[in-house]
């Protein structure tokens, strides 16, 4: 499969008056055309920073991309001019944000906010853009006559549908969804996920789904990357990673999910605290919490190793594999 997005050895840090935070530490990732990739990990792992870096939107001056490459459709994102970036954002790459209330401007109608995207990237007149905005609302299940309504007149789920409509208005090649269902109740979450699955097929877009909910990844994605302390520790198809996890962190995440059937055993927990990006441990960042830690883990950073065609892992003492280390 031809890659649409390639991220190579990406490194991002945030510098404040108090400390330096190393948010991304050599991330390597790729998304194929028409592919849905899930990015999972605890809060603070660097998931949102990676999404912002993909659009070259790491907040400055505190945030800096200190190394690595990002290629979108064969072009280097980090070498694009300001105009090229503006032309790409919202057109070739769109983003759905976590909180539908704060991602919409309260002083503009929802139709106007969708129309802004169309006027910018499709050179439509105001009237034409509003007509197309109404059609996009219909696509996400909202009557077109509501183009003149304001965000506060919609429920949380409907606001998120508006955000999806705006993101898909220009038929982007890549859609980035940053925890798009976190602020919604479970019933509305299911509706939004079904809608996204349907629209991804309809628009033939690739997807980067950022979430801490493994169930969402299993529902909507073909591949998954597990992130810890700014690094990808395991990557592969959903089936390989979820049913045959090889990194101890992935095992811990999967063990923390309640089971709907079978005996009601106590949930597994990962000991300790999430690694502090301002003071990362030496060697493998997870070694201070890892039940499979060996001496090598404390001093050396494991590289991503290919287990098979569908599965990669960065671990010296992989789960279920006897090794001499």
């Amino acid at each position: 499969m031809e890659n649409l997005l390639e991220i190579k050895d990406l490194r991002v840090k945030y510098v404040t008056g108090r400390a330096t935070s190393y948010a991304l530490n050599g991330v390597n990732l790729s998304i194929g055309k028409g592919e849905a990739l899930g990015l999972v990990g605890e809060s603070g792992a660097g998931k949102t920073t990676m999404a912002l870096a993909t659009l070259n939107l790491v907040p400055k001056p505190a945030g800096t991309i200190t190394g690595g490459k990002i290629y979108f459709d064969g072009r280097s994102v980090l070498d694009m001019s300001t105009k090229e970036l503006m032309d790409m954002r919202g057109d070739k790459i769109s983003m759905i944000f976590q909180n539908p209330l704060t991602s919409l401007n309260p002083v503009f109608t929802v139709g106007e906010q969708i129309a802004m995207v169309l006027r910018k990237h499709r050179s439509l007149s105001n009237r034409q853009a509003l007509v197309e905005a109404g059609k996009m609302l219909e696509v996400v299940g909202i009557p077109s006559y509501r183009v003149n309504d304001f965000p506060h007149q919609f429920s949380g789920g409907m606001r998120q549908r508006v955000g999806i409509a705006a993101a898909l208005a220009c038929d982007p090649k890549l859609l980035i969804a940053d925890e798009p269902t976190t602020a919604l109740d479970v019933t509305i979450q299911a509706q939004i996920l079904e809608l996204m699955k349907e629209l991804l097929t309809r628009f033939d877009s690739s997807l980067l789904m950022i979430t801490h909910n493994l169930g969402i990844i299993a529902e909507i994605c073909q591949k998954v990357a597990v992130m810890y302390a700014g690094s990808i520790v395991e990557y592969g198809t959903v089936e390989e990673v979820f049913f045959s996890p090889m990194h101890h962190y992935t095992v811990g995440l999967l063990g923390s999910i309640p089971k709907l059937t079978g005996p009601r055993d106590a949930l597994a927990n990962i000991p300790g605290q999430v690694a502090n990006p301002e003071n990362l441990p030496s060697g493998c960042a997870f070694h201070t919490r890892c039940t499979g830690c060996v001496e090598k883990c404390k001093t050396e950073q494991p590289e991503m190793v290919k287990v098979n065609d569908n599965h990669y892992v960065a671990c010296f003492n992989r789960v279920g594999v006897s090794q001499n280390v």
Side-chain angles (χ1 to χ4, degrees):
M1 180 185 293
E2 186 179 354
N3 286 330
L4 179 65
L5 177 71
E6 287 187 84
I7 297 174
K8 299 181 178 181
D9 196 32
L10 184 62
R11 299 175 184 274
V12 176
K13 69 178 181 181
Y14 293 97
V15 179
T16 65
R18 182 171 58 89
T20 298
S21 177
Y22 296 91
L24 297 182
N25 304 295
V27 170
N28 293 282
L29 207 60
S30 64
I31 301 177
K33 292 184 176 180
E35 183 176 77
L37 171 73
L39 184 63
V40 299
E42 293 169 280
S43 296
K47 304 186 297 297
T48 297
T49 293
M50 204 185 81
L52 294 175
T54 301
L55 291 162
N56 202 356
L57 281 175
V58 174
K60 298 177 181 179
T64 308
I65 297 175
T66 59
K69 297 288 185 180
I70 303 171
Y71 295 99
F72 175 74
D73 214 7
R75 299 186 60 201
S76 172
V77 173
L78 301 183
D79 293 329
M80 288 182 181
S81 66
T82 300
K83 183 181 184 305
E84 289 173 322
L85 288 169
M86 292 294 289
D87 289 341
M88 177 187 72
R89 297 167 186 156
D91 184 19
K92 300 296 188 294
I93 305 178
S94 287
M95 190 163 177
I96 302 171
F97 295 93
Q98 178 174 350
N99 192 329
L101 181 60
T102 57
S103 62
L104 295 173
N105 193 319
V107 302
F108 291 101
T109 66
V110 296
E112 176 61 21
Q113 293 184 63
I114 299 172
M116 287 177 187
V117 182
L118 292 162
R119 288 200 303 269
K120 162 69 178 173
H121 297 294
R122 294 294 178 263
S123 301
L124 300 180
S125 67
N126 289 344
R127 182 179 179 82
Q128 290 172 325
L130 279 174
V131 170
E132 291 301 315
K135 292 179 180 178
M136 284 307 303
L137 288 180
E138 294 277 0
V139 167
V140 298
I142 298 175
S144 60
Y145 65 80
R146 299 204 65 181
V147 289
N148 296 318
D149 287 350
F150 289 87
H152 73 269
Q153 295 174 275
F154 292 83
S155 66
M158 294 184 76
R159 281 194 292 263
Q160 194 61 287
R161 287 171 182 262
V162 172
I164 294 172
L168 291 174
C170 291
D171 192 8
K173 292 184 178 180
L174 175 64
L175 183 64
I176 300 175
D178 186 7
E179 305 203 29
T181 61
T182 299
L184 308 175
D185 65 56
V186 176
T187 304
I188 304 301
Q189 281 186 26
Q191 294 176 8
I192 294 297
L193 289 176
E194 283 301 318
L195 175 64
M196 289 185 65
K197 285 167 60 178
E198 176 188 334
L199 295 179
L200 286 170
T201 302
R202 176 172 173 176
F203 288 89
D204 195 29
S205 297
S206 299
L207 172 69
L208 175 60
M209 171 64 79
I210 299 172
T211 183
H212 58 266
N213 189 324
L214 302 183
I216 290 176
I217 299 299
E219 178 75 17
I220 205 169
C221 298
Q222 293 95 41
K223 291 186 177 179
V224 59
V226 182
M227 178 174 270
Y228 182 80
S231 299
I232 303 296
V233 297
E234 191 160 5
Y235 169 83
T237 63
V238 170
E239 290 80 6
E240 285 275 359
V241 174
F242 284 6
F243 291 102
S244 302
M246 288 194 166
H247 198 283
H248 295 271
Y249 178 61
T250 310
V251 172
L253 287 181
L254 293 168
S256 67
I257 301 174
K259 293 180 174 58
L260 298 179
T261 59
R264 296 186 179 182
D265 298 327
L267 296 179
N269 70 298
I270 302 174
Q273 301 294 321
V274 178
N276 183 356
E278 297 177 0
N279 184 26
L280 292 172
S282 60
C284 174
F286 187 63
H287 86 260
T288 58
R289 308 175 68 192
C290 183
T291 55
C293 175
V294 294
E295 283 303 313
K296 193 175 184 180
C297 303
K298 300 176 183 178
T299 56
E300 297 183 34
Q301 177 69 41
E303 295 183 358
M304 192 70 79
V305 174
K306 183 178 181 180
V307 179
N308 59 47
D309 290 340
N310 300 316
H311 203 166
Y312 298 78
V313 64
C315 184
F316 291 125
N317 187 25
R318 302 198 298 269
V319 174
V321 178
S322 177
Q323 307 203 32
N324 294 319
V325 290

